[in-house]
């Protein structure tokens, strides 16, 4: 038994990595593909924008945060610092969020899952794990001046500025399910939801956003610029 | 509702994110093949039901998914402390000022 354990193993041959999307014509459907994701009649001054960031790469990284080799390996492969508890780091394409003391979630462009996984395995060694969970979850984006009000209705976690600054990531209860909530900007939130709960959470968010004026789809450039300087007073501020 | 401090997240969270997992600090008999039926039975089935200080395991199920220990007063429901696995509780029945 001990002979087997002590034998030097070639890690490259021990791990089977599969390119789950080898060519662009492999059919893929997001868990929200059946939902109508664009407003036919958009409200005049929408308070909430809701859209899906579909078919992205989701990689779960496990390892020891106190291991310098692991930290440096992640940094070399992704260009991102390993975030501290409840924090996230972000580059143009990739985002790395803290999930647990030994677990992180890396999200990025959908067609680069295999390339990133290969790069990570090249830079990491020892006791670690890289798991492609792209098919198991999806990203739902919530934006607009009333996006926080929708979250306040939907989850027990305190989403006030003083407790939830930009860049923070929290795994918590959302509606009667759960979600990983990350704050990208003043009025910009990202939810990681399980595939099987995506439909439920999408419908919940549509219902909860109704009273604020819901626009399904991303805000256009002009709207985004106007809303980055919100003139509307927020009653829950302060 | 409890408002529980998760020692791994470093924050208080609502009780609905957690699950209780029973009494903490149960030592498994070191050699199950050689212990008596009574020792094994006590380990497997018998639990304390104290009035006052109780150490219990909780898991941050909808969160960081880590297990940790909580010291709770079963009379007042007050949570005295939460501490990581492997740590020693600071509040025990012996040094509880109210017991």
């Amino acid at each position: 038994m001990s002979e087997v354990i002590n034998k030097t193993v070639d890690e490259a041959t021990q791990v089977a990595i599969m390119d789950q999307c080898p060519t662009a014509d492999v059919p893929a459907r997001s868990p929200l593909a059946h939902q109508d994701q664009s407003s036919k009649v958009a409200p005049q001054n929408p308070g909430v924008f809701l859209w899906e960031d579909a078919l992205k790469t989701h990689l779960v990284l496990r390892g020891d945060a106190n291991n310098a080799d692991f930290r440096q390996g992640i940094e070399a492969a992704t260009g991102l610092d390993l975030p501290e508890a409840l924090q996230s780091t972000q580059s143009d394409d990739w985002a790395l969020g803290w999930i647990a003391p030994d677990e992180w979630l890396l999200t990025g462009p959908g067609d680069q899952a295999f390339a990133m996984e290969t790069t990570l395995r090249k830079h990491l060694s020892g006791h670690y794990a890289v798991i492609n969970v792209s098919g198991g979850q999806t990203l739902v984006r919530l934006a607009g001046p009333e996006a926080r009000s929708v979250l306040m209705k939907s989850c027990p976690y305190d989403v006030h500025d003083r407790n939830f600054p930009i860049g923070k990531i929290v795994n918590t209860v959302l509606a009667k399910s759960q979600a990983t909530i990350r704050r990208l900007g003043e009025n910009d939130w990202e939810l990681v939801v399980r595939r099987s709960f995506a439909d439920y959470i999408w419908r919940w968010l549509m219902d909860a956003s109704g009273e604020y004026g819901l626009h399904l789809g991303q805000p256009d450039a002009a709207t985004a610029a106007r809303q980055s300087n919100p003139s509307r007073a927020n009653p829950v501020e302060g | 509702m409890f408002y529980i401090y998760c020692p791994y997240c470093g924050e208080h969270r609502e009780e609905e994110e957690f699950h209780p997992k029973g009494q903490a600090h149960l030592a498994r008999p070191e050699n199950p093949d050689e212990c008596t039926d009574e020792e094994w039975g006590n380990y497997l089935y018998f639990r304390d039901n104290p009035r006052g200080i109780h150490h219990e395991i909780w898991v941050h199920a909808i969160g960081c998914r880590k297990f940790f220990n909580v010291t709770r007063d079963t009379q007042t429901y007050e949570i005295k402390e939460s501490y990581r696995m492997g740590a020693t509780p600071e509040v025990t029945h012996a040094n509880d000022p109210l017991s």
Side-chain angles (χ1 to χ4, degrees), chain A residues 110-234:
Chain A
D111 54 354
Q112 288 176 33
F114 183 65
M116 178 52 86
E117 195 179 343
T118 317
T119 314
L120 279 163
R121 291 195 183 280
K122 213 173 285 170
H123 284 90
L124 296 176
S125 60
H127 192 61
Y128 73 96
V130 178
I131 311 118
N132 185 351
V133 295
S134 309
Q137 50 197 32
T138 191
L139 295 179
V140 172
R141 293 281 299 274
L142 204 56
E146 297 292 348
R148 194 175 65 177
S149 305
V150 174
L151 288 175
M152 286 166 68
K153 287 167 68 173
S154 310
C155 80
Y157 192 76
D158 181 6
V159 292
H160 192 278
D161 288 347
R162 69 172 166 252
N163 190 55
F164 212 136
I166 293 165
K168 191 169 182 176
I169 183 168
V170 160
N171 211 4
T172 189
V173 176
L174 188 88
K176 290 176 185 175
S177 176
Q178 66 180 83
T180 306
I181 306 174
R182 188 162 71 98
R183 190 169 191 178
L184 305 181
E186 189 60 35
N187 293 319
D188 201 353
W189 305 78
E190 178 189 87
L191 315 177
V192 183
V193 299
R194 296 293 167 110
R195 182 178 192 98
S196 51
F197 281 103
D199 179 74
Y200 165 74
I201 285 179
W202 181 267
R203 287 168 195 264
W204 174 286
L205 291 173
M206 287 219 306
D207 187 55
S209 309
E211 64 172 300
Y212 306 112
L214 169 65
H215 178 103
L216 285 174
Q218 296 190 36
D220 56 47
T223 317
R226 193 167 67 242
Q227 292 198 336
S228 64
N229 293 312
S231 54
R232 193 192 324 207
N234 194 334

Side-chain angles (χ1 to χ4, degrees), chain A residues 98-113:
Chain A
W98 185 93
I99 300 292
D102 54 1
E103 182 176 346
W104 295 264
L105 177 67
L106 181 66
T107 51
D111 54 354
Q112 288 176 33

